[in-house]
């Protein structure tokens, strides 16, 4: 698991204001959902997982409100047309989107959020809030491994798996839209790499407006 090496939540966290949007994208089956969930479960990382809305049918293992909010096409269209979606995309023949109000509220609280979204949503968010985004693209070690993982999951029909494999090539062509590229060969190694990226991004100067005051206070401190 992620080593608790850096105690970010001591004095350091007080110097930043707005939360970060951490996007993890990958072709279906590259391990992104598992990685996102493990990062979210790690209390040291202190991340909020963005729960998307989707018109896709719920898989047997999925829970409403935990993995997704499962909505009808009519409800999706209503949300989209009333500008309640901060980003949306059609992926593998279904619609997926992120609700605007939830994201704004959480970021304003200074809380970092984890997004498991595709390249289309990533591009939309990068245009809207470039300063807030850290984007990570996960690749499978081989196409064979990707195929095996999709079959192992055994929750989708052969037809769905075929579509996802075909779409993985389109998805991978967008790797240049991302800040970080990771080949997911070993889950623990990938988890550590992503945790390191997030921690480093939190320390970036432009994300830490509180530093100015902190330095002023240091200067004025009586020795
Ligand atoms: P799945 O059906 O396997 O849960 O997800 C299919 C794809 O949709 C994945 O690549 C996932 O990252 C993407 N996705 C999930 N939620 C969203 C979202 O809110 N917006 C966008 N643009 N893509 C999403």
């Amino acid at each position: 698991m992620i080593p608790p090496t850096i105690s970010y939540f001591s004095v350091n966290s007080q110097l930043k204001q707005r939360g970060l949007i951490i996007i993890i994208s990958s072709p279906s089956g590259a391990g992104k959902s598992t990685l996102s969930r493990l990062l979210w479960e790690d209390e040291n990382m202190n991340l909020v997982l963005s729960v998307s809305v989707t018109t896709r049918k719920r898989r047997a293992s999925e829970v409403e409100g935990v993995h997704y909010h499962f909505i009808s096409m009519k409800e999706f269209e209503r949300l989209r047309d009333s500008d309640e979606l901060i980003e949306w995309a059609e992926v593998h023949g279904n619609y997926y989107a992120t609700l605007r109000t939830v994201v704004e509220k959480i970021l304003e609280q200074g809380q970092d959020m984890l997004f498991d979204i595709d390249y289309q949503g990533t591009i939309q968010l990068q245009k809207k809030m470039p300063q807030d985004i850290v984007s990570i693209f996960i690749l499978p070690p081989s196409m064979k491994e990707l195929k095996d993982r999709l079959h192992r999951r055994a929750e989708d029909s052969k037809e769905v798996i075929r579509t996802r494999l075909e779409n993985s090539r389109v998805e991978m062509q967008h790797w240049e839209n991302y800040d970080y590229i990771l080949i997911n060969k070993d889950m623990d190694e990938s988890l550590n790499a992503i945790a390191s990226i997030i921690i480093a991004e939190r320390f970036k100067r432009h994300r830490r407006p509180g530093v100015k005051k902190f330095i002023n206070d240091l200067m004025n401190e009586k020795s």
Side-chain angles (χ1 to χ4, degrees):
M1 282 298 105
I2 305 163
T5 42
I6 303 170
S7 75
Y8 169 75
F9 300 101
S10 54
V11 67
N12 275 300
S13 61
Q14 295 162 16
L15 304 179
K16 107 182 206 302
Q17 271 177 354
R18 212 171 141 77
L20 272 177
I21 291 184
I22 300 139
I23 300 177
I24 303 189
S25 300
S26 77
S28 201
K32 155 197 56 176
S33 303
T34 312
L35 284 166
S36 307
R37 214 142 275 280
L38 288 170
L39 283 162
W40 171 67
E41 279 169 10
D42 187 314
E43 283 178 12
N44 286 323
M45 292 307 295
N46 192 25
L47 293 164
V48 169
L49 198 59
S50 171
V51 180
S52 302
V53 296
T54 182
T55 60
R56 168 167 76 61
K57 273 212 178 117
R58 189 176 65 80
R59 293 186 186 122
S61 64
E62 290 177 328
V63 179
E64 158 63 34
V66 175
H67 296 89
Y68 285 105
H69 297 290
F70 296 93
I71 59 169
S72 63
M73 192 58 208
K74 202 169 160 211
E75 177 62 359
F76 170 79
E77 282 168 350
R78 190 193 66 76
L79 291 168
R80 183 194 58 195
D81 297 345
S82 54
D83 203 26
E84 289 179 53
L85 305 175
I86 197 164
E87 64 78 31
W88 65 270
E90 186 182 352
V91 191
H92 315 311
N94 297 298
Y95 290 88
Y96 297 81
T98 308
L99 291 167
R100 182 187 303 282
T101 47
V102 179
V103 174
E104 278 302 334
K105 199 171 129 213
I106 294 173
L107 293 183
E108 282 301 318
Q109 289 166 354
Q111 177 72 56
D112 297 337
M113 290 186 85
L114 199 57
F115 287 70
D116 168 349
I117 62 174
D118 85 324
Y119 73 90
Q120 303 174 81
T122 304
I123 294 169
Q124 291 169 44
L125 290 180
Q126 282 168 336
K127 279 197 188 128
K128 284 181 185 155
M129 36 211 339
Q131 291 286 319
D132 298 328
I133 314 268
V134 178
S135 55
I136 306 170
F137 196 77
I138 314 271
L139 288 165
S142 67
M143 288 309 276
K144 185 184 175 307
E145 180 70 19
L146 191 73
K147 201 171 165 183
D148 289 351
R149 283 188 201 165
L150 282 175
H151 282 288
R152 249 182 274 141
R153 184 157 77 188
E155 282 206 88
D156 293 321
S157 67
K158 281 210 174 90
E159 180 59 29
V160 168
I161 292 178
R162 203 159 51 87
T163 311
R164 284 176 178 246
L165 275 171
E166 276 165 18
N167 290 349
S168 69
R169 294 176 191 277
V170 178
E171 188 87 13
M172 284 194 285
Q173 278 164 9
H174 290 87
W175 66 277
E176 281 176 290
N177 288 101
Y178 290 79
D179 300 319
Y180 298 93
I181 313 292
L182 198 76
I183 299 165
N184 181 24
K185 196 165 168 31
D186 176 272
M187 203 50 96
D188 280 348
E189 211 177 285
S190 301
L191 208 52
N192 279 324
I194 300 174
S196 308
I197 291 167
I198 296 173
I199 291 165
E201 288 284 343
R202 283 170 170 169
F203 283 89
K204 276 214 166 142
R205 190 181 62 224
H206 76 265
R207 302 215 165 96
R208 318 195 70 214
V211 169
K212 203 169 176 182
K213 181 182 176 308
F214 184 77
I215 290 174
N216 269 339
D217 291 348
L218 282 182
M219 300 291 191
N220 293 327
E221 202 177 293
K222 290 200 176 70
S223 48

